[in-house]
């Protein structure tokens, strides 16, 4: 199955797998899903101290497959899962995301694929031969927004092969920011920005008029350590710059900032800095989780739950 079909299922069909896993250089996480009602039946987070991944769009990602194979086996044991289907959340840097604005959009699938490759080519002239591309389009007439996800087949297969070896069937591959967006704006339409912090990567995904407006990805350094203050400043500065850019471009006010970080320990400091420098309501990414989960587990497992909402 191509990446395009998997991402199209994500955008349009809300595919319900037996389990959802997220791979990060720092941890492997997973949840088990009830096929009966889509509820979460269990979850785990396993730290990966060896950092067996080096996320990249155009280079090999898996640096220590043995460590990941052992972690996947342990995760499946934790979930009491021996086989079945799985959705995979891979690191943000492994996938390129584009948000396009178009006045018109071709009607047929083949024409649309050609059109999107042509538009992406304006931003990225050298599209790899093994690129797999999928997209979603806002409905209606007039100006429409398209969000496009692109990954290299060689990279996708690295991740799929790990789970196939463990006896699972990967049916979807996506990234955390595209699942987290299912959790925001549930109170109604709102112009806002989702700030997601994963390991060393910050992503900002803007939603305006119930459609996508912008996606940005930036390396911000490792959490903790002597450079923690610089990391926090970089994150806040990127959020400030994104808000100003969008408001100037769209001529509309950003109404709120949704914040999610995979590193629970840095969340209080980050929220304080955001409050000091950004005059917007700051909202956590919240969802109904099993009572046994701690706040740190809820933050780490949020993207996985977002996939099945």
């Amino acid at each position: 199955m191509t990446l395009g079909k998997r991402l199209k299922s994500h955008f349009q069909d809300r595919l319900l797998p037996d389990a959802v896993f997220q791979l990060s250089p720092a941890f492997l996480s997973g949840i088990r899903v009830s096929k009966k009602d889509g509820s979460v039946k269990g979850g785990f987070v396993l730290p990966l101290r060896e950092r067996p991944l080096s996320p990249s769009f155009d280079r090999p990602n898996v640096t220590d497959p043995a460590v990941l194979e052992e972690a996947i086996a342990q995760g499946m044991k934790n979930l009491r899962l021996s086989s079945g289907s799985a959705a995979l959340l891979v690191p943000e840097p492994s996938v390129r995301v584009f948000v396009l604005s178009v006045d018109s959009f071709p009607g047929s699938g083949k024409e649309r694929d050609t059109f999107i490759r042509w538009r992406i080519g304006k931003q990225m002239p050298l599209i790899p031969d093994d690129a797999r591309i999928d997209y979603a389009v806002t409905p209606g007439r007039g100006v429409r927004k398209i969000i496009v996800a692109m990954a290299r087949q060689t990279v996708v297969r690295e991740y799929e092969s790990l789970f196939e070896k463990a006896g699972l069937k990967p049916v979807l591959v996506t990234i955390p920011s595209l699942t987290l967006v299912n959790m925001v704006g549930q109170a109604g339409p709102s112009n806002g920005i989702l700030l997601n912090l994963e390991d060393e990567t910050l992503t900002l995904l803007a939603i305006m008029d119930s459609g996508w407006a912008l996606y940005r990805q930036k390396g911000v350094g490792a959490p903790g350590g002597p450079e923690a203050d610089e990391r926090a400043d970089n994150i806040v500065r990127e959020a400030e710059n994104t808000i100003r850019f969008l408001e100037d471009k769209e001529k509309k006010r950003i109404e709120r900032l949704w914040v999610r970080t995979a590193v629970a320990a840095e969340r209080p400091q980050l929220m304080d800095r955001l409050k000091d420098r950004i005059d917007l309501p700051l909202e956590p990414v919240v969802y109904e989780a099993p009572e046994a989960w701690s706040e740190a587990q809820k933050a780490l497992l949020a993207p996985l739950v977002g996939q099945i909402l």
Side-chain angles (χ1 to χ4, degrees):
M1 183 182 287
T2 67
L3 176 73
K5 288 182 180 177
R6 283 189 296 272
L7 287 174
K8 185 161 289 186
S9 292
H10 164 70
F11 284 124
Q12 299 174 358
D13 302 332
R14 284 291 183 271
L15 182 69
L16 194 63
D18 293 301
V20 185
F21 294 89
Q22 180 178 351
L23 300 105
S24 159
F27 64 87
L28 171 74
S29 59
I31 61 172
R32 185 162 183 173
V33 184
S34 168
K35 281 296 189 72
K36 183 177 179 180
D37 58 8
S39 61
V40 176
K41 292 301 182 183
F44 73 88
V45 178
L46 294 176
L48 299 174
R49 294 177 179 83
E50 301 87 349
R51 298 183 68 84
L53 290 178
S54 180
S56 171
F57 173 76
D58 53 10
R59 295 190 304 274
N61 282 216
V62 178
T63 56
D64 195 337
V67 168
L68 285 170
E69 289 167 9
E70 183 180 352
I72 292 168
Q74 181 61 53
M76 291 174 63
K77 185 177 180 180
N78 291 351
L79 296 179
R80 298 180 180 178
L81 185 70
S82 59
S83 62
S85 60
L88 309 182
L89 277 58
V90 301
E92 300 273 343
S94 303
V95 178
R96 296 282 174 87
V97 177
F98 307 86
V99 175
L100 310 174
S101 180
V102 299
D103 294 321
S104 61
F105 195 49
S108 74
K110 188 173 183 179
E111 290 177 339
R112 287 184 171 193
D113 292 346
T114 301
F115 175 80
I116 285 173
R117 283 180 175 267
W118 171 69
R119 282 295 304 268
I120 291 176
K122 291 186 173 184
Q123 301 180 41
M124 185 179 176
L126 298 177
I127 298 176
D129 292 338
D130 68 340
R132 295 294 179 263
I133 298 172
D134 194 43
Y135 56 87
V137 189
T138 54
R141 299 183 177 181
V143 176
R144 302 169 72 181
K145 295 288 187 177
I146 307 173
I147 188 166
V148 183
M150 177 170 68
R152 297 197 65 172
Q153 179 68 7
T154 51
V155 171
V156 173
R157 284 300 302 155
E158 282 187 276
Y159 290 108
E160 288 182 325
S161 297
L162 291 168
F163 289 87
E164 289 172 350
K165 189 172 182 179
L168 294 174
K169 179 183 178 181
V171 292
L172 180 146
V173 175
T174 184
I175 51 177
S177 60
L178 296 183
T179 64
L180 285 167
V181 77
N182 298 327
M183 295 177 147
V184 302
Q186 296 182 13
S190 180
N191 293 340
I193 296 174
L194 169 65
L195 185 157
N196 182 41
L197 195 54
E198 295 273 358
D199 195 52
E200 300 182 1
T201 305
L202 169 70
T203 56
L204 295 156
L205 179 58
I207 304 167
M208 303 190 78
D209 300 325
S210 300
W212 310 278
L214 176 144
Y215 173 94
R216 279 183 172 171
Q217 181 191 118
K218 183 178 177 65
V220 290
E227 297 181 351
D229 283 344
E230 182 180 353
R231 171 180 160 98
D233 282 339
N234 285 342
I235 293 165
V236 176
R237 185 164 51 250
E238 285 299 315
E240 290 175 318
N241 292 342
T242 301
I243 291 167
R244 284 195 294 266
F245 173 81
L246 265 178
E247 291 186 337
D248 288 344
K249 179 183 177 183
E250 302 289 343
K251 309 302 180 188
K252 294 178 182 178
R253 178 169 171 75
I254 299 298
E255 299 169 351
R256 65 196 69 249
L257 190 66
W258 297 286
V259 182
R260 180 264 177 179
T261 172
V263 186
E266 70 180 351
R267 190 176 189 281
Q269 179 191 29
L270 176 61
M271 293 297 284
D272 286 343
R273 293 200 183 202
L274 288 167
K275 288 175 183 176
D276 287 343
R277 290 168 49 178
I278 295 179
D279 185 23
L280 287 176
L282 304 180
E283 299 182 7
V285 175
V286 296
Y287 62 98
E288 187 175 342
E291 292 183 3
W293 290 6
S294 67
E295 290 302 313
Q297 286 174 309
K298 288 170 66 175
L300 278 165
L301 295 168
L304 293 82
V305 178
Q307 169 57 38
I308 62 173
L309 289 181

